[in-house]
Amino acid sequence: MTDLSIILASGSAIRRQIMDGAGLDYQVVVKPVDEAAIKAAMLAEGSRLRDIADALAEAKSRRVSMAQPGLVIGADQIMVFENALYDKPKTMDEARARLLKLRGKTHHLMGAVVICENGAPVWRHMAKTELTMRDFSDAFLDDYLKLEGEDILSSVGAYKFEGRGAQLFSEVKGDFFSILGLSLLPVLDYLRTRGAILS
């Protein structure tokens, strides 16, 4: 094994839970990037939506990697529904409207992970997951929103799939960890190839 340190360039609680659950020894270093400006510029240029997630993940990773030695993991996820890109809801009313729009329909999450070293990307991974919401009742939705509260505003889809949010769905296609926002298994594989964790 090498002495390469592992750094997570994300303030996301669920990404930390994923890394902790895998037993990784890592540190968290977050340097803000202007996500809105990156998205706006890429949309104006007509970029593919999946490329936006990749660019955001790289920007987060690269920013930290320029000042921090080791393997820096940046991740981002976007939601695509009916060919439109969605950001995290800002209010509970917006979250409710989002879930009503998704009810009974299929949407996609596109997640990117980029690992940088010495300020440059050395590895990247894209994952696309397909999620179909069931035709849940208004009563269920009211109960769900009351129980979950503003925690769901940290999720682009207004749900936490790892918890009660699983009850919103009838079918999912894709990797569980990718749905949560970090494609863990490919990341672990790369860390092993670099000798950062035991193979």
Side-chain angles (χ1 to χ4, degrees), residues 30-98:
V30 181
K31 290 185 182 286
V33 297
D34 191 343
E35 296 187 39
I38 294 170
K39 284 180 187 175
M42 293 187 73
L43 287 170
E45 292 165 5
S47 300
R48 292 185 307 171
L49 295 179
R50 59 175 287 145
D51 291 341
I52 294 175
D54 184 68
L56 290 168
E58 181 176 323
K60 294 173 185 178
S61 176
R62 187 191 290 267
R63 183 108 195 266
V64 172
S65 179
M66 288 169 75
Q68 199 86 17
L71 298 174
V72 180
I73 302 168
D76 201 85
Q77 185 184 67
I78 62 169
M79 187 185 101
V80 178
F81 176 61
E82 295 178 345
N83 294 316
L85 174 67
Y86 284 80
D87 291 318
K88 293 172 184 173
K90 294 179 178 61
T91 65
M92 290 301 287
D93 286 343
E94 197 178 326
R96 181 186 176 82
R98 173 87 38 97

Coordinates of all heavy atoms in Angstrom, one line a residue, residues 30-98:
V30 N -13.6 20.7 1.7 CA -14.6 21.3 0.8 C -14.2 22.7 0.4 O -13.9 23.5 1.3 CB -16.0 21.3 1.4 CG1 -17.0 21.9 0.3 CG2 -16.4 19.9 1.8
K31 N -14.1 23.0 -0.9 CA -13.8 24.4 -1.3 C -15.0 24.7 -2.3 O -15.1 24.0 -3.3 CB -12.5 24.5 -2.0 CG -11.3 24.3 -1.1 CD -10.0 24.6 -1.8 CE -8.8 24.4 -0.9 NZ -8.6 25.5 0.0
P32 N -15.8 25.7 -2.0 CA -17.0 26.0 -2.8 C -16.6 26.3 -4.3 O -15.6 26.9 -4.5 CB -17.6 27.2 -2.1 CG -17.0 27.2 -0.8 CD -15.7 26.6 -0.9
V33 N -17.5 25.9 -5.2 CA -17.4 26.3 -6.6 C -18.7 26.9 -7.0 O -19.8 26.6 -6.3 CB -17.0 25.1 -7.5 CG1 -15.7 24.5 -7.2 CG2 -18.1 24.0 -7.4
D34 N -18.7 27.7 -8.0 CA -20.0 28.3 -8.4 C -20.7 27.4 -9.3 O -20.6 27.5 -10.6 CB -19.6 29.7 -9.1 CG -20.9 30.5 -9.3 OD1 -22.0 30.0 -9.3 OD2 -20.7 31.7 -9.6
E35 N -21.5 26.5 -8.7 CA -22.2 25.5 -9.5 C -23.2 26.1 -10.4 O -23.4 25.7 -11.6 CB -22.9 24.5 -8.5 CG -22.0 23.7 -7.7 CD -22.7 22.6 -6.9 OE1 -23.6 22.0 -7.4 OE2 -22.3 22.4 -5.7
A36 N -23.9 27.2 -10.0 CA -24.9 27.8 -10.8 C -24.3 28.4 -12.1 O -24.9 28.2 -13.2 CB -25.7 28.9 -10.0
A37 N -23.1 29.0 -12.0 CA -22.5 29.6 -13.1 C -22.0 28.5 -14.1 O -22.2 28.7 -15.3 CB -21.3 30.4 -12.7
I38 N -21.5 27.4 -13.6 CA -21.1 26.3 -14.4 C -22.3 25.7 -15.2 O -22.2 25.5 -16.4 CB -20.4 25.2 -13.6 CG1 -19.0 25.7 -13.0 CG2 -20.1 23.9 -14.5 CD1 -18.4 24.8 -12.0
K39 N -23.4 25.5 -14.5 CA -24.6 24.9 -15.1 C -25.1 25.9 -16.2 O -25.4 25.5 -17.3 CB -25.7 24.7 -14.1 CG -25.5 23.5 -13.2 CD -26.7 23.3 -12.2 CE -26.4 22.2 -11.2 NZ -27.4 22.2 -10.2
A40 N -25.2 27.2 -15.8 CA -25.8 28.1 -16.8 C -24.9 28.2 -18.0 O -25.4 28.3 -19.2 CB -25.9 29.5 -16.1
A41 N -23.6 28.3 -17.9 CA -22.7 28.4 -19.0 C -22.8 27.1 -19.9 O -22.9 27.2 -21.2 CB -21.3 28.5 -18.6
M42 N -22.9 25.9 -19.3 CA -22.9 24.7 -20.1 C -24.3 24.6 -20.8 O -24.4 24.1 -21.9 CB -22.6 23.5 -19.2 CG -21.2 23.5 -18.8 SD -20.7 22.0 -17.9 CE -20.6 20.8 -19.3
L43 N -25.4 25.0 -20.1 CA -26.7 24.9 -20.7 C -26.7 25.9 -21.9 O -27.3 25.6 -23.0 CB -27.8 25.2 -19.7 CG -28.1 24.1 -18.7 CD1 -29.0 24.7 -17.6 CD2 -28.7 22.9 -19.4
A44 N -26.2 27.1 -21.8 CA -26.1 28.1 -22.8 C -25.4 27.6 -24.0 O -25.7 27.9 -25.2 CB -25.5 29.4 -22.3
E45 N -24.3 26.7 -23.8 CA -23.5 26.2 -24.9 C -24.2 24.9 -25.5 O -23.6 24.4 -26.4 CB -22.1 25.8 -24.3 CG -21.3 27.0 -23.9 CD -20.1 26.5 -23.0 OE1 -19.9 25.3 -22.8 OE2 -19.4 27.4 -22.5
G46 N -25.3 24.5 -24.9 CA -26.0 23.3 -25.4 C -25.3 22.0 -25.1 O -25.4 21.0 -25.8
S47 N -24.6 22.0 -23.9 CA -23.9 20.8 -23.5 C -24.9 19.7 -23.2 O -26.0 19.9 -22.8 CB -23.1 21.1 -22.2 OG -22.1 22.1 -22.5
R48 N -24.4 18.4 -23.3 CA -25.3 17.3 -22.9 C -25.4 17.4 -21.4 O -24.5 17.8 -20.6 CB -24.6 16.0 -23.2 CG -24.5 15.7 -24.7 CD -23.9 14.3 -24.9 NE -22.6 14.1 -24.2 CZ -22.0 12.9 -24.1 NH1 -22.6 11.9 -24.7 NH2 -20.9 12.8 -23.5
L49 N -26.6 17.0 -20.9 CA -26.9 17.1 -19.5 C -26.0 16.3 -18.6 O -25.5 16.7 -17.6 CB -28.4 16.7 -19.2 CG -29.4 17.7 -19.8 CD1 -30.8 17.2 -19.5 CD2 -29.3 19.1 -19.4
R50 N -25.6 15.1 -19.1 CA -24.7 14.3 -18.3 C -23.3 14.9 -18.2 O -22.7 14.7 -17.2 CB -24.6 12.9 -19.0 CG -24.1 12.9 -20.4 CD -23.8 11.5 -20.9 NE -22.7 10.9 -20.3 CZ -22.5 9.6 -20.0 NH1 -23.5 8.8 -20.2 NH2 -21.4 9.1 -19.5
D51 N -22.9 15.7 -19.1 CA -21.6 16.4 -19.1 C -21.6 17.4 -18.0 O -20.6 17.8 -17.5 CB -21.3 17.0 -20.4 CG -21.0 16.0 -21.5 OD1 -20.7 14.8 -21.1 OD2 -21.0 16.3 -22.7
I52 N -22.8 18.0 -17.6 CA -22.9 19.0 -16.5 C -22.5 18.3 -15.2 O -21.7 18.9 -14.4 CB -24.3 19.6 -16.5 CG1 -24.5 20.4 -17.8 CG2 -24.4 20.5 -15.3 CD1 -25.9 21.0 -17.9
A53 N -23.0 17.2 -14.9 CA -22.7 16.5 -13.7 C -21.2 16.2 -13.6 O -20.5 16.4 -12.6 CB -23.4 15.1 -13.6
D54 N -20.6 15.8 -14.8 CA -19.2 15.5 -14.8 C -18.3 16.7 -14.6 O -17.4 16.7 -13.8 CB -18.8 14.9 -16.2 CG -17.4 14.5 -16.3 OD1 -17.0 13.5 -15.7 OD2 -16.7 15.1 -17.1
A55 N -18.7 17.9 -15.2 CA -18.0 19.1 -15.0 C -18.1 19.6 -13.6 O -17.1 20.1 -13.0 CB -18.6 20.2 -16.0
L56 N -19.2 19.4 -12.9 CA -19.4 19.9 -11.5 C -18.5 19.0 -10.6 O -17.8 19.6 -9.7 CB -20.8 19.8 -11.1 CG -21.8 20.9 -11.8 CD1 -23.2 20.5 -11.5 CD2 -21.4 22.3 -11.3
A57 N -18.5 17.7 -10.8 CA -17.7 16.8 -10.0 C -16.2 17.2 -10.2 O -15.5 17.2 -9.2 CB -18.0 15.4 -10.4
E58 N -15.8 17.4 -11.4 CA -14.4 17.7 -11.7 C -14.0 19.1 -11.0 O -12.9 19.2 -10.5 CB -14.1 17.8 -13.2 CG -12.7 18.1 -13.5 CD -12.3 18.1 -15.0 OE1 -12.9 17.2 -15.7 OE2 -11.5 18.9 -15.4
A59 N -14.9 20.1 -11.1 CA -14.6 21.4 -10.6 C -14.4 21.3 -9.0 O -13.4 21.9 -8.5 CB -15.7 22.3 -10.9
K60 N -15.2 20.5 -8.4 CA -15.1 20.3 -6.9 C -13.8 19.6 -6.6 O -13.1 20.0 -5.6 CB -16.3 19.5 -6.4 CG -17.6 20.2 -6.5 CD -18.7 19.3 -6.1 CE -20.1 19.9 -6.3 NZ -21.2 18.9 -5.9
S61 N -13.5 18.6 -7.3 CA -12.3 17.8 -7.0 C -11.0 18.6 -7.4 O -10.1 18.6 -6.6 CB -12.3 16.5 -7.9 OG -11.2 15.7 -7.7
R62 N -11.0 19.2 -8.5 CA -9.8 19.9 -8.9 C -9.5 21.1 -8.0 O -8.3 21.3 -7.6 CB -10.0 20.5 -10.4 CG -8.8 21.1 -11.0 CD -9.2 21.8 -12.3 NE -9.5 20.9 -13.3 CZ -8.7 20.5 -14.3 NH1 -7.4 20.8 -14.2 NH2 -9.1 19.7 -15.2
R63 N -10.5 21.8 -7.5 CA -10.3 22.9 -6.6 C -9.6 22.5 -5.4 O -8.7 23.2 -4.9 CB -11.7 23.5 -6.3 CG -11.6 24.8 -5.5 CD -11.9 26.0 -6.3 NE -11.5 27.2 -5.6 CZ -12.3 27.9 -4.8 NH1 -13.5 27.6 -4.6 NH2 -11.8 29.0 -4.2
V64 N -10.0 21.4 -4.8 CA -9.3 20.9 -3.6 C -8.0 20.3 -3.9 O -7.0 20.6 -3.2 CB -10.2 19.8 -2.9 CG1 -9.5 19.2 -1.7 CG2 -11.5 20.5 -2.4
S65 N -7.9 19.6 -5.0 CA -6.6 18.9 -5.4 C -5.5 19.9 -5.6 O -4.3 19.5 -5.5 CB -6.9 18.0 -6.6 OG -5.7 17.4 -7.0
M66 N -5.8 21.1 -6.1 CA -4.7 22.1 -6.4 C -4.0 22.5 -5.1 O -2.8 22.9 -5.2 CB -5.3 23.3 -7.0 CG -5.8 23.0 -8.5 SD -6.8 24.3 -9.2 CE -5.5 25.5 -9.6
A67 N -4.6 22.3 -3.9 CA -3.9 22.7 -2.7 C -3.7 21.5 -1.7 O -3.1 21.7 -0.7 CB -4.8 23.8 -2.0
Q68 N -4.2 20.3 -2.1 CA -4.2 19.2 -1.2 C -3.6 18.0 -1.9 O -4.1 17.5 -2.9 CB -5.6 18.9 -0.8 CG -5.8 18.1 0.5 CD -5.8 19.0 1.7 OE1 -5.9 20.2 1.7 NE2 -5.5 18.4 2.8
P69 N -2.5 17.4 -1.3 CA -1.9 16.2 -1.9 C -2.8 15.0 -1.7 O -3.6 15.0 -0.7 CB -0.6 16.0 -1.2 CG -0.8 16.7 0.1 CD -1.7 17.9 -0.1
G70 N -2.7 14.0 -2.6 CA -3.5 12.8 -2.4 C -4.6 12.6 -3.5 O -4.5 13.4 -4.5
L71 N -5.4 11.7 -3.3 CA -6.5 11.4 -4.3 C -7.8 12.1 -3.8 O -8.3 11.8 -2.7 CB -6.7 9.9 -4.4 CG -5.5 9.1 -4.9 CD1 -5.8 7.6 -4.9 CD2 -5.1 9.5 -6.4
V72 N -8.2 13.1 -4.6 CA -9.4 13.9 -4.2 C -10.6 13.5 -4.9 O -10.6 13.5 -6.2 CB -9.1 15.4 -4.4 CG1 -10.3 16.2 -3.9 CG2 -7.8 15.8 -3.6
I73 N -11.6 13.0 -4.2 CA -12.9 12.5 -4.8 C -13.9 13.6 -4.9 O -14.3 14.1 -3.8 CB -13.4 11.3 -4.0 CG1 -12.4 10.2 -3.9 CG2 -14.7 10.8 -4.6 CD1 -12.7 9.1 -2.9
G74 N -14.3 14.0 -6.1 CA -15.4 14.9 -6.3 C -16.6 14.2 -6.9 O -16.4 13.4 -7.7
A75 N -17.8 14.6 -6.4 CA -19.0 13.9 -7.0 C -20.1 14.9 -7.1 O -20.2 15.9 -6.4 CB -19.4 12.8 -6.0
D76 N -20.9 14.7 -8.1 CA -22.1 15.5 -8.3 C -23.2 14.6 -9.0 O -22.9 13.6 -9.6 CB -21.8 16.7 -9.2 CG -22.9 17.8 -8.9 OD1 -22.7 18.6 -8.0 OD2 -23.9 17.8 -9.7
Q77 N -24.4 15.1 -8.8 CA -25.6 14.3 -9.3 C -26.6 15.3 -9.8 O -26.9 16.4 -9.2 CB -26.2 13.5 -8.2 CG -27.3 12.6 -8.7 CD -27.9 11.8 -7.5 OE1 -28.5 12.4 -6.6 NE2 -27.7 10.5 -7.5
I78 N -27.2 15.1 -11.0 CA -28.3 15.9 -11.5 C -29.5 15.0 -11.7 O -29.4 13.8 -11.9 CB -27.9 16.7 -12.8 CG1 -27.5 15.7 -13.9 CG2 -26.7 17.6 -12.5 CD1 -27.4 16.3 -15.3
M79 N -30.6 15.6 -11.7 CA -31.9 14.9 -12.0 C -32.4 15.4 -13.3 O -32.5 16.6 -13.6 CB -32.9 15.2 -10.9 CG -34.2 14.3 -11.1 SD -35.4 14.7 -9.9 CE -36.5 15.7 -10.9
V80 N -32.8 14.5 -14.2 CA -33.3 14.8 -15.5 C -34.7 14.2 -15.6 O -34.9 13.0 -15.3 CB -32.5 14.3 -16.6 CG1 -33.1 14.6 -18.0 CG2 -31.1 14.9 -16.6
F81 N -35.7 15.0 -15.9 CA -37.1 14.6 -16.1 C -37.7 15.3 -17.3 O -37.7 16.5 -17.4 CB -37.9 14.9 -14.8 CG -39.4 14.6 -14.9 CD1 -39.8 13.3 -15.1 CD2 -40.3 15.6 -14.8 CE1 -41.1 13.0 -15.2 CE2 -41.7 15.3 -14.8 CZ -42.1 14.0 -15.1
E82 N -38.2 14.5 -18.2 CA -38.8 15.0 -19.4 C -37.8 16.0 -20.1 O -38.2 17.1 -20.5 CB -40.1 15.6 -19.2 CG -41.1 14.6 -18.7 CD -42.5 15.1 -18.4 OE1 -42.6 16.4 -18.2 OE2 -43.5 14.3 -18.2
N83 N -36.5 15.5 -20.2 CA -35.5 16.3 -20.9 C -35.1 17.6 -20.3 O -34.5 18.5 -20.9 CB -35.8 16.5 -22.4 CG -35.8 15.2 -23.1 OD1 -35.0 14.3 -22.9 ND2 -36.9 15.0 -24.0
A84 N -35.6 17.8 -19.0 CA -35.2 19.1 -18.3 C -34.3 18.7 -17.1 O -34.5 17.7 -16.5 CB -36.5 19.8 -17.9
L85 N -33.4 19.7 -16.8 CA -32.5 19.5 -15.7 C -33.2 20.2 -14.4 O -33.7 21.3 -14.5 CB -31.2 20.2 -16.0 CG -30.1 20.3 -14.9 CD1 -29.6 18.9 -14.6 CD2 -29.0 21.2 -15.4
Y86 N -33.1 19.5 -13.3 CA -33.7 20.0 -12.1 C -32.6 20.2 -11.0 O -31.7 19.4 -10.8 CB -34.7 19.0 -11.5 CG -36.0 19.1 -12.3 CD1 -36.2 18.4 -13.5 CD2 -37.1 19.8 -11.8 CE1 -37.3 18.5 -14.2 CE2 -38.3 19.9 -12.6 CZ -38.4 19.2 -13.8 OH -39.6 19.3 -14.5
D87 N -32.7 21.3 -10.3 CA -31.9 21.6 -9.1 C -32.6 21.2 -7.9 O -33.8 20.8 -7.9 CB -31.5 23.1 -9.0 CG -30.6 23.5 -10.2 OD1 -29.7 22.8 -10.5 OD2 -30.8 24.6 -10.7
K88 N -31.9 21.2 -6.7 CA -32.6 20.9 -5.4 C -33.7 21.9 -5.2 O -33.6 23.1 -5.4 CB -31.5 21.0 -4.3 CG -30.5 19.9 -4.4 CD -29.4 20.2 -3.3 CE -28.2 19.2 -3.5 NZ -27.1 19.5 -2.6
P89 N -34.8 21.4 -4.7 CA -35.9 22.3 -4.3 C -35.5 23.2 -3.2 O -34.8 22.8 -2.3 CB -37.1 21.4 -3.9 CG -36.4 20.1 -3.5 CD -35.1 20.0 -4.3
K90 N -36.0 24.5 -3.2 CA -35.6 25.5 -2.2 C -36.5 25.5 -1.1 O -36.2 26.0 0.0 CB -35.4 26.8 -2.9 CG -34.3 26.9 -3.9 CD -34.2 28.3 -4.6 CE -33.1 28.4 -5.6 NZ -33.2 27.4 -6.7
T91 N -37.8 25.1 -1.3 CA -38.8 25.2 -0.2 C -39.6 23.9 -0.2 O -39.6 23.1 -1.1 CB -39.8 26.4 -0.5 OG1 -40.5 26.1 -1.7 CG2 -39.0 27.7 -0.7
M92 N -40.3 23.7 0.9 CA -41.2 22.5 1.0 C -42.3 22.6 0.0 O -42.7 21.5 -0.5 CB -41.7 22.4 2.5 CG -40.7 22.1 3.5 SD -39.9 20.5 3.2 CE -41.2 19.3 3.6
D93 N -42.8 23.7 -0.3 CA -43.8 23.8 -1.4 C -43.3 23.4 -2.7 O -43.9 22.7 -3.5 CB -44.3 25.3 -1.5 CG -45.3 25.7 -0.3 OD1 -45.7 24.7 0.4 OD2 -45.5 26.9 -0.2
E94 N -42.0 23.8 -3.0 CA -41.4 23.3 -4.2 C -41.1 21.8 -4.2 O -41.3 21.2 -5.3 CB -40.1 24.1 -4.4 CG -39.5 24.1 -5.8 CD -38.2 24.9 -6.0 OE1 -38.1 25.9 -5.3 OE2 -37.4 24.4 -6.8
A95 N -40.8 21.3 -3.1 CA -40.6 19.8 -2.9 C -41.9 19.1 -3.2 O -41.9 18.1 -3.9 CB -40.0 19.5 -1.6
R96 N -42.9 19.6 -2.6 CA -44.3 18.9 -2.8 C -44.6 19.0 -4.3 O -45.1 17.9 -4.9 CB -45.3 19.7 -2.0 CG -46.7 19.1 -2.2 CD -47.8 19.9 -1.4 NE -49.1 19.3 -1.7 CZ -49.5 18.3 -1.0 NH1 -48.9 17.7 0.0 NH2 -50.7 17.8 -1.3
A97 N -44.5 20.1 -5.0 CA -44.8 20.2 -6.4 C -43.9 19.3 -7.2 O -44.4 18.7 -8.2 CB -44.6 21.7 -6.9
R98 N -42.6 19.1 -6.8 CA -41.7 18.3 -7.5 C -42.2 16.8 -7.5 O -42.2 16.1 -8.5 CB -40.3 18.4 -6.9 CG -39.2 17.4 -7.4 CD -38.5 17.9 -8.6 NE -38.2 19.3 -8.6 CZ -37.1 19.9 -8.2 NH1 -36.1 19.1 -7.8 NH2 -36.9 21.2 -8.3

